[in-house]
Amino acid sequence: MPDDFDRTEDRPVYVIGGGPGGLAVAAVLRERGVRAVVLEKSDAVGASWRGHYDRLRLHTTRRHSALPGLKMPRSFGRWVARADVVRYLEKYAEYHRLEIVTGVEVTRVERSPDGSGWLLHATGGRELTGRAVVVATGYNHTPKVPSWPGRETYDGELLHASEYRDARPYAGKDVLVVGVGNTGAEIAVDLVEGGAARVRLAVRTVPHIVRRSTAGWPAQSTGILVRRLPAWLVDGASWVLARIAVPDLSSHGLPRPDTGLYTRVRQGAIPVQDVGLIDAVREGRVEPVAAVESFEQNKVVLADGTRITPEVVIAATGYERALEPLLGPLNVLSPTGRPLTQGPHTPPHAPGLYFTGFTNPISGMLRELSIDAHRIAKALSRQAVFQKYSR
């Protein structure tokens, strides 16, 4: 790309983030004849997927995980591996001939001085002017580790799940995994299968556990069907299904949750898809324990008062969106730091500012990113036509 890409006369749509959401939007915009420039702070597309643990596979089916305009190869199998997702994203960018600038991090977004578009401040002193901006920096952006009392004095090894790759460094070790979302559950299983001497799983809120597929029917397909149904109806149906498909693990320290599955989803907690956790807990290879409260040198203090001495603590404690430095002054974020709008909708006082990928839907993240891409592109192409004929 030439050095003067930011001085283009037609002022492109800037897409911040070269992950699945950003690439999908850029591809559909290109298909509609709208120029989009993807700005990616790392040196390649799909940076977050490159950093995930090796064992990871999509919890959504290949069919429902492809982005607009390019199917995932059948050779990837039904549950696509992390490395194949990276290969797919690379191929996607190449196939659609997307305009991508890597190594450029956008640090602040504000209205352009003339009020007709957006001004992006980026690394290297760049100032880029676009007629619209799509923020697609990702749901899992910045690792979050709780500020547990005494954490700084802990003598053992403490790392966030984002730093975990495989079980080899932990063979023969006593490991505590903190957090029982999909990441924590899968890392715990990976550790026991990889030879860790002992694996405990700290649980603050008991999760809903679902089978990834039942009699060949994937859990994602159910999520798609029920997404717009009333929570009470889905809660009741899932309660019945859980008692048929998932054994009661109460005697092993993992009781059934007392809140409905879809009620929990609407609060932001996606069910844990079983990739071996049920058997590992039932067989005693993964030991659920109480939540972590604090650290005392080489000890971890749990909520029930128990003190344990693991050699390694892996915090599968989630991520922050980290949008405040980028967008804070625009008043487009909720008190929890999430965008007030999503998809084709823009804040009334910030027209032309779009967001994608900041929800965690039960129907599958990649599927919803594809839907968002079409809706955002439709809104932006309409805007382009309006601007053309209003001059």
Side-chain angles (χ1 to χ4, degrees), residues 48-388:
S48 64
W49 280 96
R50 296 174 189 276
H52 288 316
Y53 50 94
D54 293 344
R55 176 194 175 98
L56 177 64
R57 288 181 176 271
L58 289 177
H59 293 157
T60 54
T61 64
R62 181 189 73 252
R63 176 170 171 263
H64 286 306
S65 300
L67 301 179
L70 183 64
K71 293 181 179 180
M72 287 187 171
R74 290 179 62 87
S75 60
F76 284 2
R78 193 180 201 189
W79 311 105
V80 182
R82 177 202 64 83
D84 286 334
V85 173
V86 173
R87 288 169 53 197
Y88 173 74
L89 295 177
E90 291 173 339
K91 180 63 177 178
Y92 191 84
E94 177 187 350
Y95 179 82
H96 287 289
R97 294 180 295 168
L98 301 183
E99 195 171 349
I100 301 171
V101 185
T102 58
V104 174
E105 181 177 6
V106 180
T107 55
R108 191 169 79 256
V109 176
E110 60 187 32
R111 295 291 289 173
S112 59
D114 63 3
S116 64
W118 293 91
L119 177 64
L120 287 69
H121 299 268
T123 49
R126 294 178 175 87
E127 292 188 350
L128 315 174
T129 303
R131 64 180 182 84
V133 174
V134 181
V135 181
T137 49
Y139 190 83
N140 296 333
H141 186 273
T142 302
K144 178 176 62 178
V145 178
S147 54
W148 290 300
R151 189 183 81 182
E152 297 78 9
T153 65
Y154 179 56
D155 293 337
E157 182 181 355
L158 171 63
L159 66 150
H160 189 269
S162 60
E163 302 172 74
Y164 179 89
R165 293 295 173 267
D166 58 58
R168 286 176 296 178
Y170 312 102
K173 293 188 176 183
D174 184 335
V175 185
L176 172 67
V177 180
V178 184
V180 68
N182 279 294
T183 297
E186 192 157 359
I187 287 176
V189 173
D190 195 43
L191 286 165
V192 296
E193 293 180 355
R198 185 176 189 180
V199 178
R200 283 172 282 203
L201 183 59
V203 179
R204 183 171 298 278
T205 303
V206 179
H208 284 273
I209 303 175
V210 299
R211 300 289 189 181
R212 186 162 62 177
S213 64
T214 304
W217 178 264
Q220 182 191 13
S221 295
T222 302
I224 293 171
L225 291 175
V226 306
R227 189 177 181 197
R228 301 195 184 282
L229 294 178
W232 63 267
L233 182 59
V234 182
D235 286 348
S238 62
W239 184 89
V240 174
L241 182 61
R243 276 149 183 77
I244 295 171
V246 179
D248 186 357
L249 300 174
S250 298
S251 62
H252 301 279
L254 203 59
R256 296 189 188 277
D258 56 9
T259 307
L261 182 149
Y262 203 36
T263 296
R264 189 80 66 79
V265 167
R266 291 186 171 180
Q267 295 169 350
I270 294 297
V272 171
Q273 290 198 13
D274 178 45
V275 290
L277 180 66
I278 291 174
D279 288 343
V281 170
R282 190 162 46 181
E283 296 164 5
R285 294 182 295 146
V286 171
E287 307 167 47
V289 297
V292 171
E293 287 295 306
S294 62
F295 288 78
E296 292 179 357
Q297 295 182 336
N298 67 331
K299 293 182 173 61
V300 180
V301 182
L302 305 180
D304 61 4
T306 304
R307 285 168 169 75
I308 60 176
T309 56
E311 296 169 82
V312 182
V313 176
I314 300 175
T317 46
Y319 295 79
E320 296 175 342
R321 312 295 86 80
L323 291 171
E324 289 84 354
L326 183 69
L327 303 164
L330 296 174
N331 194 29
V332 295
L333 304 177
S334 73
T336 60
R338 297 193 182 188
L340 295 173
T341 58
Q342 173 76 11
H345 307 290
T346 63
H349 57 283
L353 180 63
Y354 298 86
F355 298 90
T356 185
F358 294 98
T359 60
N360 197 9
I362 194 173
S363 50
M365 175 70 81
L366 292 175
R367 177 181 182 272
E368 296 302 321
L369 288 176
S370 295
I371 293 172
D372 268 0
H374 283 291
R375 291 173 175 171
I376 291 171
K378 185 177 181 180
L380 279 168
S381 57
R382 282 177 176 174
Q383 183 188 58
V385 171
F386 173 79
Q387 289 178 339
K388 177 180 178 180

